[in-house]
Amino acid sequence: MGALPINIAGELNPQSNRTRTVVLVGRTGNGKSAVANSILGKKVFKSVAKASGVTQSCQMQQTQLKDGHVINVIDTPGLFDISAGSAFISKEIVKCFNLAKDGIHAFLLVLTVRNRFSEEEESAVQSIKELFGSKIIDHMIVVFTGGDVLENDDLTLDDYLEDCPRPLQEILTLTKNRTVLFNNITKDERKRAEQVQKLMSLVNMVVAQNGGKPYTNELSYELKRVASKKQMQAEYDAKLKKITVEMEAKINELNSRLEQQLAVEQAARRRAEEEALSTHRRSAEEIAKLRESLERAQQKIQAPPRRSGGCAIM
């Protein structure tokens, strides 16, 4: 595919100066839909505790905040889960950009404090960067779910991140520590409002730092260009299909690289574990031999001396 990740800045039109469009990305089970519902202030997206993803396709809902800002919230399925197929991912990415007609002001990378930051999580972030382009980092905010867990342990988000793994620390550094903690099960309306307000402050900060311009790339630009010409439906569908196929090919290539990288890392980890196990076994055997030798020595020391043989002559 052509240079998909190239960033093409789009000016906000006057009508959208107070409109913000955010896209939630992250792995299945991290709580994207719950965060979306918290932002909207009502349960719109289905959010339940399941091993498989509940959101099956990109969806957008809109609400108006008390400060007058209109916010478009786009919830996505687990686009970067290992089980997600390339055809599905490419179709949903295209749909995401179709929904965000005026560009995307912020990408919300949803992680959870309930689980450790895994290699699969790191691969998902890498996929997001490669498919959307490196400029996505300038529009990214990291949202942690599971705020109730930290509250129960009297911990803050800073406490949790104090000894976070290196890959996660690198992400936080790249995003200039734009983080917010969400408790999606709290009944405290004041707390719910505060976490949404903090998120929107970060969104507005991202918008300001990017000169008021939302994120767009070659894909979104091409979709908008084709649609604006009001071409015949057949021509539009053909172009859309071509873009989707090219996106799918790029995803297949990326997945292949990531799978190879993961396989190498897993093989290295297995070798290290096998070497450690072998060393442990050798040590155990040597200890057993030493213990056996020590026991024999102790038995010799403790055994009474033998009496000389022969019969006494009376």
Side-chain angles (χ1 to χ4, degrees):
M1 186 172 183
L4 178 64
I6 294 177
N7 188 62
I8 299 174
E11 295 287 351
L12 284 172
N13 58 57
Q15 290 76 21
S16 62
N17 280 340
R18 297 186 66 78
T19 299
R20 301 286 183 260
T21 298
V22 299
V23 175
L24 294 98
V25 294
R27 296 188 64 215
T28 296
N30 282 359
K32 296 189 300 295
S33 297
V35 171
N37 290 334
S38 292
I39 297 171
L40 294 167
K42 52 189 175 182
K43 191 170 183 178
V44 179
F45 297 108
K46 185 180 289 188
S47 174
V48 295
K50 289 183 66 177
S52 59
V54 176
T55 302
Q56 299 298 320
S57 183
C58 289
Q59 305 170 50
M60 185 175 78
Q61 293 291 336
Q62 185 183 84
T63 191
Q64 184 169 10
L65 303 178
K66 291 181 179 180
D67 62 2
H69 277 100
V70 174
I71 181 166
N72 299 318
V73 180
I74 300 178
D75 189 18
T76 66
L79 294 180
F80 304 101
D81 294 347
I82 292 177
S83 59
S86 56
F88 169 76
I89 295 173
S90 60
K91 174 186 171 187
E92 291 303 316
I93 289 177
V94 171
K95 182 176 181 181
C96 178
F97 278 112
N98 265 327
L99 289 172
K101 298 185 183 302
D102 292 322
I104 299 167
H105 297 92
F107 286 85
L108 309 184
L109 174 61
V110 181
L111 304 176
T112 177
V113 303
R114 300 179 189 276
N115 303 318
R116 67 181 182 83
F117 188 81
S118 63
E119 291 176 353
E120 289 79 7
E121 202 91 58
E122 184 181 358
S123 296
V125 174
Q126 185 177 341
S127 298
I128 292 171
K129 287 169 61 179
E130 292 209 26
L131 291 174
F132 286 93
S134 59
K135 276 290 185 181
I136 191 176
I137 295 295
D138 296 334
H139 298 262
M140 186 174 285
I141 297 167
V142 184
V143 180
F144 288 91
T145 63
D148 54 297
V149 175
L150 297 188
E151 290 171 13
N152 290 338
D153 294 334
D154 292 325
L155 295 175
T156 65
L157 183 59
D158 288 338
D159 294 331
Y160 172 77
L161 296 175
E162 188 173 350
D163 296 315
C164 67
R166 181 183 57 79
L168 176 55
Q169 185 58 56
E170 289 176 355
I171 292 171
L172 298 179
T173 300
L174 287 172
T175 57
K176 299 179 181 178
N177 289 306
R178 292 188 294 266
T179 60
V180 60
L181 178 66
F182 263 60
N183 178 345
N184 291 311
I185 65 173
T186 182
K187 303 299 182 183
D188 187 336
E189 291 301 322
R190 179 185 58 81
K191 185 178 295 183
R192 291 170 67 95
E194 285 178 353
Q195 60 193 22
V196 173
Q197 183 179 15
K198 180 175 180 180
L199 172 64
M200 291 311 300
S201 295
L202 290 173
V203 172
N204 289 331
M205 179 191 300
V206 166
V207 172
Q209 289 176 347
N210 287 284
K213 300 170 183 177
Y215 171 91
T216 54
N217 67 1
E218 186 177 328
L219 172 59
S220 56
Y221 176 78
E222 185 67 12
L223 289 172
K224 184 180 289 189
R225 187 189 67 79
V226 174
S228 66
K229 288 189 174 183
K230 298 181 179 178
Q231 296 174 322
M232 295 177 61
Q233 187 65 39
E235 186 177 351
Y236 176 78
D237 290 344
K239 185 66 176 178
L240 194 61
K241 182 178 180 180
K242 180 176 181 294
I243 291 173
T244 304
V245 169
E246 290 174 344
M247 172 70 77
E248 184 178 345
K250 185 176 181 66
I251 291 168
N252 281 329
E253 179 188 350
L254 173 60
N255 284 344
S256 177
R257 290 207 314 272
L258 290 177
E259 286 173 2
Q260 291 175 4
Q261 178 183 338
L262 191 59
V264 170
E265 292 173 353
Q266 289 174 341
R269 187 166 61 248
R270 281 196 299 270
R271 285 195 299 272
E273 290 172 351
E274 289 170 358
E275 290 175 2
L277 181 60
S278 177
T279 301
H280 177 73
R281 286 175 178 169
R282 288 197 300 270
S283 299
E285 290 172 357
E286 291 174 1
I287 291 172
K289 289 178 181 178
L290 289 172
R291 184 178 289 118
E292 186 179 340
S293 298
L294 180 61
E295 288 175 353
R296 284 199 300 267
Q298 288 175 338
Q299 288 173 359
K300 288 181 180 180
I301 294 172
Q302 294 173 358
R306 292 183 179 181
R307 294 181 180 179
S308 59
C311 298
I313 299 175
M314 300 299 291

